[in-house]
Amino acid sequence: GGDASINFANEEEKPTVIMVIGANGMGKTTTIGKLAMRYSKEGKKVLLAACDTFRAAAVEQLATWAERAEVDIEKPQEGQKSASGVVYSALERGRNDGYDVVILDTSGRLHNNANLMQELKKMRSVSTKFKPSGPDETLLVVDASIGRNAVTQARTWDKEVGVTGLVVTKLDGTARAGFVVSVVDELRIPVKLVGIGENLEDLREFEPEFFVEGLVGS
């Protein structure tokens, strides 16, 4: 289903906007940090946006990654609780200061939380002020160890917010990853990236052939 690599905006439509969503504990911020590092090494100008305004720890964690990756970060103002406000200022800064990529970190309260879905929809609609069709990518981060639950989660997120691709973390080649195949089959959402370990280079493009061999081989 679909092209597995990340969709980049063309020169006239820069920056590329990547919205990263998913429940807490799935490895969302780490995934963003690793993406930032990768793009920064490729010579792209990257801005991270800390839109999880409810957890100070989330903002700090993202700031640490920004420092490691040597990229910039847009944080909520003192007392600012509006995630979409952070999106607005990040995208404005992204456009005015010639960034190549803006990555939006989002709150990760559970996928059945109605307020969270409203917040994500609002963030999405704010992004349409800068890009008529919204973010270039909306990546859902799921942890391979939650198995079938991931399919249910992905379905909900996709219905509410629209998901263009999956990032599967903690994928260590065991059979539990079989669910990846079912998500792709059932939901027609491509797996774009997989995280197979803690190291930076352990976030990689998803290679179905290699992956299926691993499944069959085990």
Side-chain angles (χ1 to χ4, degrees):
D3 175 28
S5 57
I6 301 290
N7 251 325
F8 280 97
N10 57 30
E11 278 304 306
E12 306 76 80
E13 290 170 1
K14 280 192 335 195
T16 296
V17 178
I18 303 174
M19 181 159 147
V20 185
I21 62 178
N24 284 336
M26 297 286 152
K28 189 163 64 266
T29 309
T30 306
T31 296
I32 293 172
K34 289 178 179 178
L35 273 180
M37 282 242 174
R38 173 191 290 193
Y39 296 149
S40 165
K41 279 188 177 140
E42 289 171 3
K44 294 184 171 76
K45 188 175 177 186
V46 181
L47 178 64
L48 302 184
C51 307
D52 185 349
T53 52
F54 287 93
R55 288 170 59 234
V59 176
E60 284 315 304
Q61 198 190 352
L62 198 67
T64 305
W65 272 109
E67 212 167 288
R68 279 180 68 184
E70 296 177 359
V71 302
D72 299 320
I73 184 168
E74 182 72 27
K75 296 181 189 176
Q77 301 300 315
E78 195 62 45
Q80 180 178 22
K81 285 295 175 225
S82 154
S84 47
V86 182
V87 172
Y88 190 88
S89 47
L91 294 184
E92 193 169 47
R93 181 175 165 189
R95 189 179 60 188
N96 297 344
D97 298 347
Y99 282 89
D100 297 303
V101 185
V102 178
I103 308 178
L104 311 175
D105 189 13
T106 59
S107 173
R109 285 155 300 175
L110 283 174
H111 68 99
N112 52 7
N113 179 319
N115 294 357
L116 173 60
M117 288 306 173
Q118 283 314 114
E119 178 181 283
L120 292 173
K121 284 176 182 166
K122 204 165 156 197
M123 287 170 69
R124 212 190 152 78
S125 93
V126 164
S127 74
T128 63
K129 294 191 168 82
F130 296 86
K131 299 213 141 199
S133 53
D136 297 280
E137 289 280 4
T138 301
L139 301 177
L140 172 64
V141 180
V142 290
D143 167 345
S145 64
I146 66 171
R148 288 295 306 173
N149 277 340
V151 179
T152 317
Q153 275 193 24
R155 184 172 283 122
T156 307
W157 291 93
D158 187 37
K159 193 177 93 221
E160 295 282 349
V161 193
V163 174
T164 57
L166 296 177
V167 178
V168 182
T169 58
K170 306 189 186 135
L171 191 60
D172 49 17
T174 53
R176 68 159 67 131
F179 90 85
V180 175
V181 179
S182 58
V183 175
V184 176
D185 275 359
E186 288 177 41
L187 305 180
R188 294 271 166 260
I189 300 173
V191 174
K192 300 228 168 183
L193 298 162
V194 291
I196 54 170
E198 292 309 305
N199 298 329
L200 271 178
E201 50 285 354
D202 289 340
L203 180 69
R204 45 183 75 166
E205 311 288 314
F206 177 61
E207 293 162 9
E209 303 73 27
F210 168 78
F211 179 72
V212 171
E213 272 165 35
L215 279 182
V216 175
S218 57

